[in-house]
Amino acid sequence: FVRAQVGAGYPYPTRMRDWELWQVLRRLPRPDERARAMLDTGAFNTYLGLWLARLSERVVVSDIYGARLKKGVLRALGLLPKKPNEAPFFAWRRAMKRAAPGLDIRTVDLTAMPYKDGTFDAIVSISVIEHIPDVERALAEMYRCVRPGGRLLITTDCERDGKAYADGVRYFSPAELERLFAPYPV
């Protein structure tokens, strides 16, 4: 689907983490439940926004794009290791806008979301929360911005005993996840 959307000539990988993606896709609203607004978080170099555009009138594809662009420049200059599975920022952005012109590609800080309560019918966050230092605040903000009865679809990296936040990532234990999501009706 993604390759058809971005075009056969798109020279970059389009693969996403299939096992996580499948879990999310099967829980999204159906096409006949046309949503009014959806948010895809941590979306740089992913293509889920193209799928969401089929299901919703408005799709926000978000990340911390300034940081992503900076890393891309550092990779291009050889100051960071290249990532063979990552498209350059502007090539990815052009492909997304060409495939789905209505996508709203913007920087969104999940700990201070600039949206009213209940703005989104669905918020998708695939392998994002483990990279957020103030994850409790981010969850509260996402929950605030999803409409009552909407869907907040989150995947995260975890490990049996967990690992504390370091070098931009953490691994949650099952007990930590239970505590983290206890305030929410999940």
Side-chain angles (χ1 to χ4, degrees):
F1 168 80
V2 171
R3 182 57 63 190
Q5 298 301 303
V6 299
Y10 184 65
Y12 305 102
T14 58
R15 188 185 166 282
M16 293 173 57
R17 295 168 83 170
D18 297 339
W19 60 273
E20 284 179 301
L21 186 58
W22 168 245
Q23 294 298 324
V24 168
L25 289 177
R26 65 195 197 112
R27 289 170 173 85
L28 287 170
R30 295 183 321 266
D32 63 331
E33 299 176 309
R34 187 100 176 134
R36 95 188 126 79
M38 291 186 180
L39 171 67
D40 182 18
T41 71
F44 170 64
N45 213 51
T46 71
Y47 303 86
L48 180 61
L50 301 177
W51 186 268
L52 298 179
R54 299 172 59 204
L55 305 174
S56 184
E57 296 169 19
R58 177 176 180 229
V59 176
V60 177
V61 177
S62 73
D63 209 318
I64 306 296
Y65 291 120
R68 296 296 196 159
L69 182 58
K70 180 181 176 183
K71 281 184 177 181
V73 168
L74 293 173
R75 284 189 179 96
L77 294 172
L79 300 173
L80 281 178
K82 293 205 183 285
K83 286 183 108 176
N85 62 340
E86 189 171 286
F89 176 78
F90 288 111
W92 169 82
R93 187 179 192 287
R94 274 191 308 274
M96 294 291 283
K97 292 298 274 183
R98 189 173 39 252
L103 286 180
D104 184 2
I105 299 174
R106 67 177 50 224
T107 291
V108 174
D109 176 351
L110 294 178
T111 64
M113 294 175 62
Y115 301 105
K116 293 179 183 177
D117 295 2
T119 296
F120 298 101
D121 297 294
I123 297 176
V124 179
S125 185
I126 298 178
S127 284
V128 173
I129 66 168
E130 65 269 22
H131 301 287
I132 302 172
D134 191 354
V135 66
E136 289 89 354
R137 181 72 191 139
L139 287 175
E141 279 291 280
M142 286 190 281
Y143 187 72
R144 178 187 67 76
C145 290
V146 73
R147 73 166 169 78
R151 295 177 181 151
L152 180 53
L153 303 169
I154 297 174
T155 69
T156 188
D157 296 344
C158 57
E159 191 173 277
R160 188 172 55 112
D161 297 321
K163 286 187 180 176
Y165 187 85
D167 297 323
V169 70
R170 76 169 45 83
Y171 294 90
F172 296 101
S173 70
E176 289 171 316
L177 289 172
E178 283 183 32
R179 180 193 57 76
L180 192 61
F181 287 98
Y184 307 103
V186 297

